[in-house]
Amino acid sequence: MFAGSAAFAQAAQCSCLAAIPVSGSVVGQLTNVQGDVRMSQAGGYTGVNGEAPVYSGARIMTGAQASASLVVGTNCAFNVPANVTVQIDPVEGGMCVSFDAPQAAVVPAGSEPGVLPVLLGAGAIGGGAALLLGLQDDDDAVSR
């Protein structure tokens, strides 16, 4: 009973719950490695210089100017940015892929930035400017 609740609690923190094929010990693939990318191995962390298989329990760390593409299972694909640690842990029903960075920093592979954040940012700047102009004392003699 407790094992199921622990697996559920961990799965609730997953960025993606990967469906894993029954056969084979490799659960994913790391590709498009650029910069300082390290992955945990039996003897500690080792550098990744290209493509590398990903195993259950792996930890992947990207350096300050590094990035990589990560695919786990049949349904989880991410572009991993700089300064992130990714954890791939077994949970009931598959592999939990989680990140130690703010969710906004981790972009699912294949997604494109939208126009909405740009419009919202521009609207906030324009609204702030309008507020400042409205509060400005322009010396109108209305109440003299």
Side-chain angles (χ1 to χ4, degrees):
M1 178 175 169
F2 293 110
S5 63
F8 176 76
Q10 187 173 9
Q13 298 172 1
C14 298
S15 295
C16 186
L17 183 59
I20 302 297
V22 176
S23 62
S25 59
V26 174
V27 298
Q29 185 75 22
L30 196 61
T31 60
N32 299 323
V33 174
Q34 296 182 3
D36 184 22
V37 177
R38 299 182 178 273
M39 186 164 39
S40 63
Q41 303 291 324
Y45 282 88
T46 59
V48 178
N49 294 323
E51 295 187 4
V54 176
Y55 298 93
S56 175
R59 301 293 184 262
I60 300 163
M61 297 185 335
T62 55
Q65 296 180 354
S67 64
S69 296
L70 173 66
V71 175
V72 178
T74 58
N75 62 319
C76 292
F78 293 95
N79 293 323
V80 183
N83 297 319
V84 170
T85 299
V86 182
Q87 301 177 2
I88 297 96
D89 294 310
V91 294
E92 189 174 330
M95 290 288 151
C96 173
V97 180
S98 58
F99 295 82
D100 76 345
Q103 187 63 28
V106 179
V107 180
S111 66
E112 304 258 341
V115 174
L116 184 59
V118 174
L119 292 177
L120 290 175
I125 291 171
L131 179 63
L132 288 175
L133 289 175
L135 293 175
Q136 193 176 39
D137 183 13
D138 54 1
D139 200 28
D140 286 341
V142 174
S143 61
R144 287 186 189 188

